[in-house]
Amino acid sequence: LGLSRDHRLAGWNVLTILYHDGATSSVVTTLGTLLQVYNANYLELDERPLTDVVLKRVLDVLSDQAKLIEVAPRKVRLPMKNGAYHIQQSFVYKITSSGIEYLTMMQRVIDADNTVTANITRIQEYCDLVVKLTDPSLAADSTQLYNDFQNMLAAYADVMKGMHKLDEDLSELANDL
């Protein structure tokens, strides 16, 4: 999303920062603020800290190509080391309505993907139980046969619920798109 080879989730994380922190924070969202928040809270374990050059490229992609954020020059008050403030011209970043839509839509896509993953697991479990229960040498001398049959029915019910949910999710996503 930000076309950064070393920071694959940088664009997504910047949108998240602007969406969550930008609206509620009393601090103006400048390049320095984004860089500080990203490096403090959004780095992966093996990821090197983001530099301002890389962040500028990610922000250019998000603003110029994707139109998910807007950039405007503003005069902002910045704190100095002695505690006083000074006024400086700086670019301020805000998420657009398209960016907010993108974040919410992608979350729904991730939810649908999780549903598919869970269904695949249950489908495999169902198929394994069908194979086990169709074995002609199956002995009915314990409750294992009954338990396996109940597990197969539960797996079938879960798979069908998941398929219906996935159908609803995909239909809703297609309508929204």
Side-chain angles (χ1 to χ4, degrees), residues 139-147:
D141 57 352
S142 73
T143 59
Q144 187 61 43
L145 177 65
Y146 175 76
N147 291 339

Side-chain angles (χ1 to χ4, degrees), residues 83-97:
Y85 288 92
H86 71 280
I87 307 277
Q88 178 180 336
Q89 182 84 8
S90 183
F91 288 104
V92 176
Y93 300 91
K94 289 185 178 181
I95 190 167
T96 63
S97 59

Side-chain angles (χ1 to χ4, degrees), residues 19-111:
Y19 180 68
H20 292 291
D21 301 341
T24 60
S25 176
S26 61
V27 178
V28 178
T29 310
T30 62
L31 180 70
T33 308
L34 280 173
L35 195 61
Q36 183 180 10
V37 171
Y38 186 95
N39 286 332
N41 301 325
Y42 290 91
L43 284 180
E44 297 292 322
L45 294 175
D46 59 343
E47 190 177 6
R48 290 187 321 271
L50 194 65
T51 63
D52 59 343
V53 174
V54 173
L55 183 57
K56 283 179 186 177
R57 275 189 268 143
V58 169
L59 291 169
D60 285 343
V61 170
L62 291 175
S63 63
D64 297 338
Q65 293 178 22
K67 307 284 190 232
L68 299 176
I69 65 172
E70 56 186 31
V71 184
R74 299 258 165 78
K75 290 185 179 185
V76 295
R77 289 179 50 189
L78 296 175
M80 296 189 301
K81 290 183 181 179
N82 65 4
Y85 288 92
H86 71 280
I87 307 277
Q88 178 180 336
Q89 182 84 8
S90 183
F91 288 104
V92 176
Y93 300 91
K94 289 185 178 181
I95 190 167
T96 63
S97 59
S98 298
I100 294 170
E101 239 352 89
Y102 181 82
L103 276 178
T104 56
M105 191 66 64
M106 286 307 294
Q107 188 58 52
R108 289 169 47 199
V109 168
I110 290 168
D111 291 344

Side-chain angles (χ1 to χ4, degrees), residues 96-145:
T96 63
S97 59
S98 298
I100 294 170
E101 239 352 89
Y102 181 82
L103 276 178
T104 56
M105 191 66 64
M106 286 307 294
Q107 188 58 52
R108 289 169 47 199
V109 168
I110 290 168
D111 291 344
D113 182 55
N114 290 340
T115 301
V116 168
T117 303
N119 263 4
I120 289 171
T121 304
R122 290 299 276 177
I123 288 170
Q124 186 60 47
E125 182 182 343
Y126 174 78
C127 291
D128 292 344
L129 287 168
V130 167
V131 168
K132 184 177 182 180
L133 291 172
T134 57
D135 184 9
S137 64
L138 194 62
D141 57 352
S142 73
T143 59
Q144 187 61 43
L145 177 65

